[in-house]
Amino acid sequence: MSLQHAILTALLEKPSSGLELARRFDRSIGYFWSATHQQIYRELGKLESAGLIRELPVSQPARGQRKAYEVLPAGRDELAAWVRRSEDPRPLRDPLGLRLRAAAMVGTEGLAAEVQRHLALHRKQLAEFEAIEARDFPADGSGDALQHLVLRGGIEMETFWIKWLTEAAERLPEG
Amino acid sequence: MSLQHAILTALLEKPSSGLELARRFDRSIGYFWSATHQQIYRELGKLESAGLIRELPVSQPARGQRKAYEVLPAGRDELAAWVRRSEDPRPLRDPLGLRLRAAAMVGTEGLAAEVQRHLALHRKQLAEFEAIEARDFPADGSGDALQHLVLRGGIEMETFWIKWLTEAAERLPEG
DNA sequence: CCCGCCATGTAAGGGGTTACATGATTCA
DNA sequence: TGAATCATGTAACCCCTTACATGGCGGG
């Protein structure tokens, strides 16, 4: 049920249409949860049926206007209750780790290049996170402390990947 | 399809029954991929139908003996081909990160305790990984280098979580 | 003998991914 | 006006999770 609560959080931060939500999941919310637009539309429908959100009434309906949703009080209550729930960390599932393990049995051919490719992806992601941090959380302490904390999580996660993949690159042949 | 390849890897390392596999997924293989016994039985059936593994013939069938499977040449080929495939990293999905983000909207009540609980879980996991490292990969360099690398990944991942959750504990009220 | 654990499964449902469909807007 | 893009969806499939079922075996 995490996706519904991610959407509620995003809509509380700012009422949005489905596609706007999808874009925001690619950015800030996406540090710790990702979603495609198909998932988002489905969950928006469910949330509306459940009476947790509603379509925002538009002041002067222009043609081609997108639907936007806002959170109802019941939705805020549900989110507050969910935040207080206890939930174990999800088990990690990473195919590249599995490939390294499998390579111990069937050979490492091609893996060095794949590790380099992942390194580049994680470096790019880290650079994006750091740019967001520099822009939204200047050293003067403005900006929401909790949102900064979550962003720090994304940054440190990418830093972990880069460190580990660098070790992997050093230990693989052809690397 | 990663689970099937995880099972092939595990069976190449050592032919096993379904339940033995489930146990091994709780330990070594599980650093980067987890699976329940239900998933494993289902995939074992598929792998056998596909001709990638077979039941191990038993020399002297004792009563109550468990089925054990071994990888056939076609299975090894499939695994080798999979290792050479390219696959993007999976997006992270962590409910606790989401809760912190949601807490910025609806309040942090109860979150400090949850962060402490996760901290304890990750510290325990890290201790287990480090015990395995000390046992299986002594400083003399014996032990498979790739398997050690994968274990290092698990260790560094847990280290990341502990670092980040410690920061979170410092920044949350009631902490 | 009975209870609990071991071992192998089945069933139902939730969630995520990929591919496709449809109408509207924008731009060359 | 035709192509590309925006925006909102539908459908099918796969994978994972949770709960339950069944039979054998082992110890009190």
Side-chain angles (χ1 to χ4, degrees):
Chain A
M1 307 260 82
S2 289
L3 178 51
Q4 293 195 6
H5 299 99
I7 291 176
L8 287 173
T9 303
L11 288 181
L12 274 177
E13 290 172 4
K14 181 179 183 317
S16 304
S17 67
L19 201 49
E20 280 169 354
L21 282 175
R23 295 234 175 76
R24 293 172 58 201
F25 269 84
D26 282 343
R27 307 186 310 121
S28 52
I29 308 281
Y31 310 152
F32 284 100
W33 207 272
S34 72
T36 63
H37 76 274
Q38 293 89 340
Q39 288 175 270
I40 288 169
Y41 285 122
R42 197 178 21 182
E43 299 305 321
L44 282 173
K46 288 189 200 169
L47 287 167
E48 191 174 22
S49 303
L52 302 185
I53 65 174
R54 67 164 181 178
E55 263 185 69
L56 249 186
V58 199
S59 49
Q60 41 179 31
R63 63 207 173 99
Q65 191 131 13
R66 294 163 302 193
K67 281 192 249 181
Y69 294 90
E70 67 176 355
V71 178
L72 294 171
R76 176 182 283 267
D77 292 348
E78 166 55 32
L79 185 63
W82 178 79
V83 166
R84 282 184 232 107
R85 280 214 274 284
S86 192
E87 186 173 1
D88 282 349
R90 310 210 147 190
L92 174 62
R93 289 212 171 89
D94 179 69
L96 183 54
L98 221 49
R99 281 191 166 78
L100 287 170
R101 179 91 186 203
M105 291 291 113
V106 299
T108 61
E109 187 191 327
L111 262 188
E114 178 71 352
V115 166
Q116 289 299 331
R117 197 177 70 86
H118 281 238
L119 254 178
L121 289 172
H122 286 291
R123 287 200 176 110
K124 181 157 175 277
Q125 184 65 71
L126 176 60
E128 283 174 25
F129 284 169
E130 286 179 334
I132 293 171
E133 185 180 37
R135 189 192 66 207
D136 292 351
F137 303 100
D140 63 9
S142 67
D144 183 279
L146 280 173
Q147 291 192 12
H148 190 190
L149 182 60
V150 176
L151 176 57
R152 290 296 315 165
I155 288 173
E156 287 164 20
M157 169 70 81
E158 295 303 328
T159 303
F160 149 71
W161 282 115
I162 290 167
K163 177 182 180 200
W164 180 59
L165 290 170
T166 301
E167 287 177 32
E170 287 167 1
R171 275 161 186 71
L172 280 173
E174 315 153 54
Chain B
M1 307 260 82
S2 289
L3 178 51
Q4 295 195 6
H5 299 100
I7 290 175
L8 287 173
T9 303
L11 288 181
L12 274 177
E13 290 172 4
K14 181 179 182 319
S16 303
S17 68
L19 203 49
E20 281 169 352
L21 281 175
R23 295 231 176 76
R24 292 171 59 201
F25 270 85
D26 282 342
R27 308 186 309 119
S28 54
I29 307 284
Y31 310 151
F32 284 100
W33 207 272
S34 72
T36 62
H37 76 274
Q38 293 89 336
Q39 288 176 271
I40 288 169
Y41 286 122
R42 181 161 30 96
E43 298 305 322
L44 281 174
K46 287 190 202 170
L47 287 167
E48 191 174 21
S49 302
L52 302 185
I53 64 174
R54 67 163 182 180
E55 262 186 70
L56 249 187
V58 199
S59 50
Q60 40 179 31
R63 62 206 174 98
Q65 192 130 12
R66 294 163 303 192
K67 280 192 251 182
Y69 294 90
E70 67 175 356
V71 178
L72 294 171
R76 176 182 282 266
D77 291 348
E78 167 54 35
L79 185 63
W82 177 80
V83 166
R84 282 184 232 108
R85 281 214 275 282
S86 192
E87 187 174 359
D88 281 349
R90 309 209 148 194
L92 174 62
R93 289 211 170 88
D94 178 69
L96 184 55
L98 221 50
R99 281 190 166 80
L100 287 170
R101 179 92 185 202
M105 292 291 113
V106 299
T108 61
E109 188 192 326
L111 262 188
E114 178 71 351
V115 166
Q116 290 298 331
R117 197 177 70 85
H118 281 238
L119 255 178
L121 289 172
H122 286 292
R123 287 199 176 110
K124 182 156 175 278
Q125 183 66 71
L126 176 59
E128 283 174 24
F129 284 170
E130 287 179 334
I132 293 170
E133 186 180 37
R135 190 192 65 209
D136 292 351
F137 302 100
D140 64 6
S142 67
D144 184 279
L146 281 173
Q147 290 192 10
H148 190 190
L149 182 60
V150 176
L151 176 57
R152 290 297 313 165
I155 288 174
E156 286 164 21
M157 169 70 81
E158 296 303 327
T159 303
F160 148 72
W161 282 115
I162 291 167
K163 177 183 179 198
W164 180 58
L165 290 170
T166 301
E167 287 177 32
E170 287 166 2
R171 275 161 186 71
L172 280 173
E174 313 153 54

